Amino acid sequence: MPPLTRIVLVGPPGAGKGTQATRLAGKLSVPHISTGDLFRANISRQTALGKRAKVFMDAGHLVPDELTIEMAKDRMRQPDAENGFLLDGFPRNVSQAEALDELLKTEASKLDAVLDLEIPEGEIIKRIAGRRICRSRSAHVFHVSYSPPRKRGVCDLCGDQLYQRDDDSEETVRKRLEVYYTQTEPIIDYYKTQGLAVTISSLGSVDEVTRRALEALKREDDDE
């Protein structure tokens, strides 16, 4: 049996966590388990957990920890996660991290590593606040600095207007960061005390960050 690969991916909004989670899960041959996918899957299948979560989501509230934990537990027990998983968006706070530890103990298992994607706040704001979306149904994505349209405010592909989503505004990004710093960032110190957390820079190209992450995970494996 190959070595178990049980990883938690942590990073602020704008760090490229979703992109890296998909790439790393593919290269490590483990399922990418994100809270967003968990919620959507349970709601679409109308599971008991999904119905309970939908009540909170429809009201604009966060899904309570106990529901998120139950969904994660159910997903991690599925056959494709037998040899490992990559968790993205869970745990989102120390209480969930403690619950995950207890859950894995009952499964006679443990985490292998917690990968922390680090990025300066100024770069986060530049990445997200500079994003522009086409109003067409295709919703083509541009960036004022990294991939600007040939004509300002106009989509290169269909000629429709480009706009900034409300949740991409600098004010909203700063609020999202404050939530991250308050709720999620403390889990990095929690896992550092267990010798599990490894921090890498998420600056550079997507390929560079993926390579950096795989090297960091290999070093963690070599240290054990």
Side-chain angles (χ1 to χ4, degrees), residues 84-102:
F85 48 74
L86 192 149
L87 295 175
D88 167 18
F90 175 81
R92 70 171 179 237
N93 56 45
V94 173
S95 294
Q96 289 187 1
E98 292 172 341
L100 177 60
D101 282 350
E102 291 302 313

Side-chain angles (χ1 to χ4, degrees), residues 167-182:
D167 56 353
D168 285 346
S169 71
E170 181 173 340
E171 180 182 3
T172 302
V173 173
R174 290 189 183 279
K175 288 179 181 177
R176 290 168 61 192
L177 284 172
E178 187 58 38
V179 172
Y180 173 79
Y181 296 144
T182 303

Side-chain angles (χ1 to χ4, degrees), residues 118-131:
E118 186 176 65
I119 181 172
E121 183 173 302
E123 179 63 19
I124 292 173
I125 293 170
K126 183 178 180 180
R127 283 185 181 186
I128 300 178
R131 192 159 49 200

Side-chain angles (χ1 to χ4, degrees), residues 95-107 109-111 190-191 194 196:
S95 294
Q96 289 187 1
E98 292 172 341
L100 177 60
D101 282 350
E102 291 302 313
L103 169 60
L104 292 175
K105 283 180 184 177
T106 65
E107 303 290 323
S109 182
K110 63 181 182 64
L111 288 176
Y190 172 83
Y191 284 121
Q194 300 180 33
L196 291 173

Side-chain angles (χ1 to χ4, degrees), residues 6-86:
R6 304 180 187 279
I7 300 167
V8 168
L9 188 61
V10 182
K17 189 158 55 72
T19 298
Q20 292 303 324
T22 301
R23 289 168 67 93
L24 290 171
K27 289 181 178 295
L28 297 170
S29 299
V30 296
H32 168 208
I33 302 175
S34 75
T35 49
D37 290 343
L38 284 177
F39 296 157
R40 285 188 288 272
N42 276 272
I43 290 172
S44 67
R45 297 201 312 266
Q46 296 188 348
T47 66
L49 291 172
K51 290 176 181 178
R52 290 167 60 193
K54 189 174 187 299
V55 173
F56 292 95
M57 295 172 71
D58 286 348
H61 301 310
L62 290 174
V63 177
D65 285 355
E66 60 269 20
L67 275 181
T68 303
I69 292 163
E70 284 299 313
M71 288 185 189
K73 178 170 68 175
D74 178 68
R75 180 64 183 87
M76 287 187 288
R77 285 177 172 170
Q78 293 179 21
D80 67 334
E82 180 181 358
N83 292 325
F85 48 74
L86 192 149

Side-chain angles (χ1 to χ4, degrees), residues 125-156:
I125 293 170
K126 183 178 180 180
R127 283 185 181 186
I128 300 178
R131 192 159 49 200
R132 297 294 184 270
I133 314 295
C134 176
R135 290 193 182 278
S136 72
R137 294 179 63 182
S138 300
H140 304 121
V141 181
F142 293 83
H143 192 281
V144 296
S145 299
Y146 303 128
S147 56
R150 290 190 294 270
K151 183 177 180 181
R152 184 177 179 179
V154 178
C155 177
D156 290 351

